[in-house]
Amino acid sequence: MADPRLEILERRLANVRKIIAVSSGKGGVGKSVTSVVLALALRDRRFKVGLLDLDFTSPSTHVILGVRDLQPIEDYGIIPPVAGGLSYMSIVFYAFDNPAPLRGLDVSNSLIELMAITRWGELDYLIIDMPPGLGDATLDVIRLVKNISFLIVTTPSILAFETVKKLVNLLNSLKTPILGVVENMVMDDKGRIRGEVDKLGVRYLGEIAYDAGLEASMGSVEKLKGTRFYVSLERILKGLL
């Protein structure tokens, strides 16, 4: 029997023009910061933007944005609150600071439920902060969300890029569009990652230098916009639009 939530999910996203999943395959590379800053940079270009945190086990976009005392509104579904000028949705509104140790079918059910109840309305962009890894959540998003494109984040670490290669191969095998790869936390430019990305036949979007002041901006949108990270990603964004 077909899951009725899937039809509802499709309707919820019907008026979203573009959906970008920010993924890495591996944690600790700056994926969530990239998701938030990308959403803010698009907002600053006068686009209507939503941000969905699908990292159920360790959500962090609310910390980066400084989300406090906000709750979704229930009205024939859930209307996301506005944080930093973004329509924002996350599991933290329901799990708070408690862990959400989901496995297998529970992951799929939670993902479908969250996406089916959320009323995004009309958006130019919906940015999805994906969980790390190549598991059920990634496969479900690819299966359920039409017209989605992936932006991949890596670091100069060869370990991080090994996982990126697996992610690229997975997306290619499923014929899922890849916008390109962003290299984060670059401390010297040896061009190694750029060369590896070229070998994969994927677009190298640019590098973001290691920003020692980024940590101090967590929780403040205005401070975040003043970082070198924001300036670098905003420059990369110009090549995507």
Side-chain angles (χ1 to χ4, degrees):
M1 184 177 178
D3 188 335
R5 295 177 300 176
L6 300 185
E7 182 182 349
I8 296 172
L9 186 156
E10 189 171 335
R11 292 206 306 268
R12 299 297 195 204
L13 299 175
N15 294 317
V16 179
R17 190 163 62 88
K18 292 186 179 180
I19 302 174
I20 300 175
V22 180
S23 187
S24 62
K26 185 175 178 63
V29 302
K31 170 185 59 62
S32 294
V33 177
T34 301
S35 298
V36 171
V37 172
L38 176 62
L40 291 173
L42 287 166
R43 179 211 65 177
D44 289 345
R45 287 172 173 261
R46 307 296 182 185
F47 291 114
K48 294 180 66 175
V49 185
L51 176 63
L52 172 61
D53 192 334
L54 281 185
D55 191 345
F56 291 162
T57 57
S58 186
S60 59
T61 54
H62 65 294
V63 177
I64 299 167
L65 281 170
V67 174
R68 301 180 186 88
D69 302 322
L70 290 178
Q71 281 294 318
I73 298 172
E74 294 189 18
D75 184 11
Y76 297 99
I78 298 295
I79 300 175
V82 175
L86 309 170
S87 295
Y88 177 69
M89 194 62 180
S90 170
I91 193 69
V92 295
F93 290 131
Y94 303 100
F96 302 102
D97 290 328
N98 299 314
L102 304 173
R103 299 174 60 187
L105 188 59
D106 290 336
V107 173
S108 295
N109 274 326
S110 298
L111 185 150
I112 292 170
E113 187 71 20
L114 186 64
M115 296 187 73
I117 64 173
T118 304
R119 295 177 55 191
W120 292 107
E122 293 188 4
L123 293 177
D124 295 306
Y125 288 91
L126 175 61
I127 307 301
I128 303 179
D129 182 28
M130 297 292 294
L134 309 176
D136 291 333
T138 299
L139 295 172
D140 282 335
V141 167
I142 294 170
R143 175 175 63 93
L144 297 171
V145 181
K146 296 180 179 178
N147 302 320
I148 193 168
S149 299
F150 274 68
L151 187 149
I152 301 173
V153 182
T154 188
T155 67
S157 164
I158 193 64
L159 296 178
F161 194 73
E162 280 299 307
T163 312
V164 165
K165 287 195 288 188
K166 293 182 177 64
L167 176 58
V168 168
N169 290 335
L170 172 66
L171 295 174
N172 282 338
S173 69
L174 297 173
K175 296 180 172 55
T176 304
I178 302 173
L179 295 174
V181 175
V182 172
E183 184 181 7
N184 189 28
M185 303 184 196
V186 177
M187 301 184 73
D188 51 38
D189 184 14
K190 295 181 180 178
R192 181 174 58 81
I193 294 298
R194 182 193 296 265
E196 293 295 324
V197 171
D198 289 342
K199 290 178 186 177
L200 293 174
V202 178
R203 185 180 177 192
Y204 180 86
L205 296 173
E207 64 178 44
I208 300 175
Y210 175 75
D211 187 351
L214 185 61
E215 187 71 19
S217 73
M218 296 295 101
S220 169
V221 169
E222 290 308 311
K223 288 182 179 179
L224 194 59
K225 289 175 58 178
T227 61
R228 289 187 298 161
F229 186 100
Y230 182 95
V231 173
S232 296
L233 191 57
E234 214 281 335
R235 183 182 65 247
I236 290 171
L237 179 61
K238 291 179 182 178
L240 284 175
L241 296 177

